[in-house]
Amino acid sequence: MPQPRVPHRATLSVAALATVLALTATACGGGSDDSSDQSKGPVTLEYWSWSETKNVDPVVAKFNSTHPGIRLKFVKQADNPGTAQNLRNAVAAKKDVPCLVQNFGEVPSLVGEGLLSSVDKELKPYLDRFNPAALPSVQAGGTYYAVPTGFNPTFMMINRSVYDKYGVDVPKTWDDVIAAGKKLKKHGVYVMNLAGEDPSTLVNLVQQAGGTWYEQKGDSWKIDFLSPESLKAADIVQQLVDGGLVANQTYQDRPALISYFDSGKMVSLPTQTWQLQNYELNYKKSLGDWQPIDLPQFSDATEFTTPSYSANNGVLVPKGCEHVKEAVEAAVWMKTDKAGIDSTYQKDTKQYEWPGAVKDVTPWVDSVVTDKLFGTHKSEARGVILKSVEHARSNWTVGPNYTGVFAELQDQWAKIVTKKMTVKQALEHLQEFTVDDLKSKNINVEG
């Protein structure tokens, strides 16, 4: 999905980033120690989130009833951009800074802005509670700056009735997807949708291939948009675009998007658990026609792999929070404790918030599988989801200027899907753009 650009003032060099880390740790360490004095009464932690009140209130109530030394206070935010601006204002003013905030951006970029506090010391005692695949995206320079919320498992759902109608085999590889697209095209059906504003398909394919565009080496960054893994991902996208096999329905008009998906004119959706209920509630024609299948693999893959990097992973602990230790304790409870996860249950949807941070998700899998979407294939969903979780891997690393780079990628992606530029040309541009941008910020860079 589109992400906000980083303000120019926000970027820092790696050396400056380290200074921020040191100062932040010093400042917040004092606050944490003071807060351990329970004679002063419960510590109050503000939790900023734009999530619906009905979803957050039960979690806060359960936590407060079981943790007499800490009191969570939910402060409802209007939306993602509003949360970001409010936090920037609070940190700049050094006043009324909350201790927990729903994530609105890439952690390394937020650290570069000086918005986050290190939680390295406070989080490490809890690391064995987390799925290891949930950890990388809350780090910057090897230091933790947020409490992981984890990832949603990725798989594919296909409109099996249309596949069967035209005698098209269920795809197991991305080459199979391309072959299916060529057969379906003859019947006026697109095999996938690539929205012009959302390059996540390319990003996810690079991750699945085992690649990354950033690599940190000491105090320097290595940039490589033209690695073999990136070019392998680019080749798949290029074949889909060149063959005219994909639709370009925008994500900006959700009702129109859902109606299009429901029409049977586009029949394969890489998806995640959080999206299933939306499809179930809004599909009118195709309920029961869809089948969950394993995410297609590269034809030369030596092991089954799904990408696990989540761009907005992590509950943020802002710079200026006076109770880092308690903030981490509360966030860890919300995201890994059975009581915390169970308290997210919603009676109207009969679902829990997906517990993407924990190692064993089996107690909560069935609740995310909706009743009607998959019809006779519903029983297959549990196995597909658990396989995706088990094989989630990611070498993906994000650098200090990735928010701005992602915005540039979005611009390039729009040219790719409209055939104004090849994927390789876009990657060549991004290589130069990213290196030049880092150099302009006095950050050491290779590439």
Side-chain angles (χ1 to χ4, degrees):
M1 297 294 290
Q3 299 187 8
R5 294 176 183 272
V6 177
H8 181 71
R9 63 176 173 74
T11 52
L12 296 173
S13 68
V14 169
L17 197 66
T19 303
V20 169
L21 168 62
L23 292 174
T24 301
T26 301
C28 293
S32 181
D33 289 342
D34 290 344
S35 67
S36 63
D37 184 359
Q38 298 301 316
S39 64
K40 298 178 181 177
V43 167
T44 297
L45 307 173
E46 284 197 1
Y47 174 35
W48 289 10
S49 169
W50 60 90
S51 298
E52 292 186 51
T53 300
K54 73 181 186 69
N55 294 329
V56 180
D57 275 353
V59 179
V60 171
K62 184 66 176 178
F63 180 84
N64 288 341
S65 70
T66 53
H67 294 75
I70 309 173
R71 182 169 183 77
L72 270 180
K73 179 183 178 183
F74 173 45
V75 179
K76 181 74 167 65
Q77 301 291 297
D79 50 27
N80 180 325
T83 305
Q85 190 56 54
N86 289 340
L87 182 62
R88 290 186 174 108
N89 292 342
V91 172
K94 300 180 181 180
K95 183 179 179 183
D96 299 328
V97 178
C99 275
L100 295 170
V101 178
Q102 183 176 352
N103 195 0
F104 52 82
E106 302 276 1
V107 164
S109 293
L110 300 178
V111 173
E113 284 195 65
L115 290 178
L116 302 185
S117 172
S118 165
V119 297
D120 212 55
K121 179 182 70 176
E122 293 80 5
L123 183 63
K124 283 185 174 176
Y126 299 110
L127 289 183
D128 64 351
R129 298 189 184 192
F130 293 91
N131 184 329
L135 301 177
S137 55
V138 293
Q139 292 179 311
T143 298
Y144 290 101
Y145 286 92
V147 176
T149 51
F151 60 92
N152 269 258
T154 302
F155 53 99
M156 181 173 269
M157 50 186 271
I158 62 170
N159 189 323
R160 184 60 188 268
S161 67
V162 178
Y163 266 79
D164 288 347
K165 179 180 179 180
Y166 297 119
V168 179
D169 294 335
V170 175
K172 295 182 179 178
T173 68
W174 290 110
D175 286 342
D176 292 342
V177 173
I178 293 168
K182 292 177 179 177
K183 292 181 179 179
L184 291 164
K185 182 181 179 182
K186 299 174 184 175
H187 305 284
V189 176
Y190 292 115
V191 71
M192 284 179 60
N193 182 62
L194 299 180
E197 70 277 10
D198 183 7
S200 60
T201 297
L202 176 62
V203 173
N204 290 335
L205 282 169
V206 175
Q207 291 184 52
Q208 192 180 15
T212 183
W213 289 333
Y214 292 82
E215 182 180 357
Q216 191 167 16
K217 291 187 171 182
D219 66 347
S220 181
W221 288 93
K222 179 183 178 182
I223 306 301
D224 192 357
F225 280 82
L226 296 167
S227 66
E229 295 83 4
S230 291
L231 295 179
K232 181 190 293 188
D235 179 59
I236 296 298
V237 173
Q238 197 65 61
Q239 289 188 65
L240 290 168
V241 172
D242 287 349
L245 311 181
V246 291
N248 302 127
Q249 192 76 28
T250 179
Y251 289 168
Q252 303 301 320
D253 185 344
R254 297 294 294 183
L257 180 75
I258 293 296
S259 177
Y260 184 71
F261 288 173
D262 193 28
S263 70
K265 297 178 182 177
M266 193 290 303
V267 293
S268 316
L269 275 171
T271 192
Q272 296 181 321
T273 49
W274 67 273
Q275 296 171 311
L276 300 183
Q277 187 181 67
N278 188 35
Y279 298 141
E280 172 101 351
L281 292 174
N282 292 288
Y283 282 179
K284 307 298 183 186
K285 303 175 181 176
S286 63
L287 281 179
D289 292 341
W290 296 85
Q291 178 184 11
I293 65 171
D294 294 334
L295 188 70
Q297 303 290 296
F298 287 98
S299 296
D300 63 349
T302 56
E303 64 175 337
F304 184 86
T305 304
T306 58
S308 65
Y309 185 88
S310 180
N312 292 344
N313 185 6
V315 181
L316 308 177
V317 180
K319 181 181 179 182
C321 165
E322 295 181 347
H323 308 290
V324 175
K325 178 182 176 182
E326 288 81 359
V328 170
E329 179 182 347
V332 168
W333 179 89
M334 285 194 287
K335 300 304 174 185
T336 68
D337 193 281
K338 185 176 184 305
I341 297 169
D342 285 347
S343 66
T344 66
Y345 183 75
Q346 296 292 305
K347 291 182 180 179
D348 56 346
T349 62
K350 300 179 181 178
Q351 290 193 340
Y352 300 90
E353 180 181 282
W354 178 254
V358 301
K359 296 176 181 175
D360 181 10
V361 299
T362 54
W364 301 282
V365 172
D366 292 337
S367 85
V368 300
V369 181
T370 53
D371 290 331
K372 302 176 183 177
L373 180 63
F374 297 132
T376 58
H377 296 287
K378 179 183 176 182
S379 62
E380 300 166 24
R382 180 182 177 88
V384 168
I385 292 169
L386 290 176
K387 183 177 180 180
S388 178
V389 172
E390 179 183 359
H391 294 276
R393 305 284 188 275
S394 181
N395 296 323
W396 193 249
T397 299
V398 172
N401 66 340
Y402 186 66
T403 300
V405 169
F406 188 86
E408 186 69 14
L409 172 60
Q410 286 179 288
D411 291 341
Q412 301 301 303
W413 181 255
K415 298 175 183 175
I416 290 171
V417 300
T418 53
K419 300 184 179 180
K420 296 177 180 176
M421 171 182 280
T422 67
V423 186
K424 186 177 181 182
Q425 287 172 333
L427 293 174
E428 290 171 343
H429 168 78
L430 288 161
Q431 175 73 24
E432 184 176 357
F433 175 89
T434 305
V435 170
D436 289 347
D437 184 62
L438 289 172
K439 287 180 177 177
S440 73
K441 296 174 170 62
N442 297 317
I443 296 175
N444 295 328
V445 59
E446 301 175 29

